[in-house]
Amino acid sequence: MKKGITAVVVVILAVVLLTTMAACRPEALAYPDLTIGAEKPTQTPTVEVNANMTPMQMMQAAMINYYQADYITSKNQGMVATTIVGGTVNQMVVAAKVRSGKAYTDATCKEYNPELQLFTDNKSHSAFAAVYEEVIIESASDVRVRAAKKGDIKSDKDEEKREYYITAKKMQDPEYISSVPKLVEDKVNDPVRLWMYDIEIDSTDAIVKAGGDTSTGVTLKDGCYEFTIDFDKDQVTKNYRDVMIYMLTQGGAKPSKLDFEGLKIKFTVWENGFLRLIDIEEKYTIQIAGIINSSITLNSRQEFGYAEVEGYKIADKLTMF
């Protein structure tokens, strides 16, 4: 009986804390100026694109070109707004990725390239949850993962540059994993993939929301194609739910239920077929401890580069731990 009372008290305290600290409006997200995504890539695309393509066709071509590029860098910044008990909690989301070598052996994108090298991190921070995880793939049989404890993670924002920074004062000892498939099995998420959604290069039109009210056609503007796809929330989140629950649990949220409400992505693709920008709007609801319901909206921007630049050199990343 005493144990049950303690659990109830913890839940009540959590609600009080959320009520006290969540009395703010969603923070307006202003993205920083482009850095790695500012220059048109000089690599030769595996699949060429043209203005006659449908949004789905161009997305799939751009995905193949991303996976088959010899070198990629990406930078992601976003904000998760959680509405609960009448207020909103804002959580920063920051990530980076560097990959040397093609992701897969060929354009079918089914088999990992045994020579690929990759570094990626996943960082988020708010008053209630924090994640700081890094992954290194140095070879097909040399995979390393390390993370920081919640209490060692902090965040800051450069108002002038409109940029978020999440740091950890101390990292835990790395975990050594025998292969990339074993990493995916153990950690649920696959860092080689472009995203965690159930969107593949051979996806059919079934993943597009019926009616597609907010989906758009392909337009050419300033040397880039632009288009938006409103995805069917059930078709693109079947496996993604498992990934999200794992990540939220790692961050301290421990959801008992998660339901997606929608996923809309705006694509900006260079005229030669390489991804330049992805702007994501993701909505879902979660339930914590079986009684606390919250509505969550993620807005994020990911920019892509295709050359080795300062701060995104694979040799430097592989020696981090």
Side-chain angles (χ1 to χ4, degrees):
M1 182 68 179
K2 185 177 180 181
K3 186 175 180 181
I5 293 172
T6 302
V8 171
V9 170
V10 170
V11 171
I12 292 172
L13 286 174
V15 173
V16 171
L17 183 63
L18 284 168
T19 306
T20 303
M21 299 188 68
C24 62
R25 295 180 179 180
E27 181 175 328
L29 183 58
Y31 295 115
D33 295 334
L34 292 182
T35 51
I36 60 173
E39 300 293 330
K40 182 179 179 179
T42 58
Q43 295 188 40
T44 301
T46 301
V47 181
E48 294 184 350
V49 298
N50 60 71
N52 295 321
M53 284 182 161
T54 66
M56 275 288 292
Q57 290 171 333
M58 189 167 290
M59 179 197 73
Q60 291 164 328
M63 288 176 67
I64 293 173
N65 291 334
Y66 167 84
Y67 287 132
Q68 293 298 293
D70 293 321
Y71 200 94
I72 69 98
T73 61
S74 69
K75 175 182 175 183
N76 183 43
Q77 178 170 299
M79 181 67 72
V80 178
T82 303
T83 303
I84 186 170
V85 288
T88 298
V89 176
N90 296 310
Q91 179 158 343
M92 298 179 181
V93 178
V94 178
K97 183 178 292 186
V98 182
R99 191 193 76 224
S100 177
K102 294 175 171 57
Y104 301 100
T105 55
D106 57 40
T108 62
C109 301
K110 300 295 183 184
E111 183 179 344
Y112 295 116
N113 173 16
E115 298 180 357
L116 84 85
Q117 294 182 315
L118 181 142
F119 167 86
T120 187
D121 59 28
N122 173 43
K123 298 176 283 189
S124 64
H125 184 263
S126 74
F128 312 107
V131 173
Y132 195 116
E133 186 178 66
E134 296 174 332
V135 178
I136 288 176
I137 300 174
E138 189 159 1
S139 70
S141 58
D142 186 355
V143 180
R144 309 188 290 276
V145 180
R146 70 175 182 176
K149 293 182 179 179
K150 178 184 175 183
D152 292 328
I153 303 170
K154 65 178 183 178
S155 61
D156 199 1
K157 181 180 180 182
D158 187 319
E159 295 289 349
E160 184 177 348
K161 293 182 178 180
R162 307 184 302 280
E163 194 145 13
Y164 304 135
Y165 300 96
I166 299 175
T167 58
K169 65 180 181 181
K170 184 173 64 175
M171 300 295 289
Q172 296 177 287
D173 292 336
E175 178 182 354
Y176 296 88
I177 300 174
S178 59
S179 66
V180 178
K182 180 62 175 172
L183 170 69
V184 177
E185 179 184 341
D186 290 352
K187 303 298 182 182
V188 184
N189 186 23
D190 183 350
V192 178
R193 294 187 62 198
L194 175 60
W195 41 40
M196 297 179 288
Y197 309 118
D198 303 328
I199 302 173
E200 309 293 344
I201 62 165
D202 55 357
S203 295
T204 68
D205 287 336
I207 69 171
V208 179
K209 183 179 178 181
D213 294 338
T214 55
S215 297
T216 65
V218 174
T219 59
L220 182 61
K221 180 182 178 182
D222 299 328
C224 292
Y225 292 108
E226 295 181 353
F227 55 94
T228 298
I229 300 179
D230 198 356
F231 292 94
D232 182 282
K233 64 181 179 64
D234 296 319
Q235 295 294 325
V236 299
T237 61
K238 292 177 181 178
N239 298 312
Y240 182 42
R241 285 185 179 87
D242 294 335
V243 176
M244 283 298 298
I245 289 172
Y246 168 81
M247 294 182 68
L248 289 166
T249 301
Q250 291 293 102
K254 298 181 181 179
S256 52
K257 185 178 180 182
L258 188 151
D259 293 311
F260 274 86
E261 304 295 328
L263 173 66
K264 183 167 62 176
I265 303 179
K266 178 184 177 182
F267 297 84
T268 303
V269 178
W270 288 104
E271 203 169 0
N272 62 357
F274 287 99
L275 282 170
R276 185 184 189 189
L277 292 172
I278 290 177
D279 291 299
I280 295 174
E281 180 184 89
E282 177 184 302
K283 295 181 179 181
Y284 55 98
T285 58
I286 64 171
Q287 187 178 81
I288 299 174
I291 60 172
I292 305 174
N293 295 296
S294 60
S295 176
I296 298 176
T297 299
L298 163 70
N299 285 282
S300 70
R301 166 169 285 184
Q302 187 170 5
E303 60 179 289
F304 300 88
Y306 300 86
E308 191 173 52
V309 295
E310 195 62 39
Y312 293 85
K313 295 182 178 180
I314 192 66
D316 295 338
K317 297 297 187 182
L318 295 180
T319 57
M320 287 180 60
F321 63 94

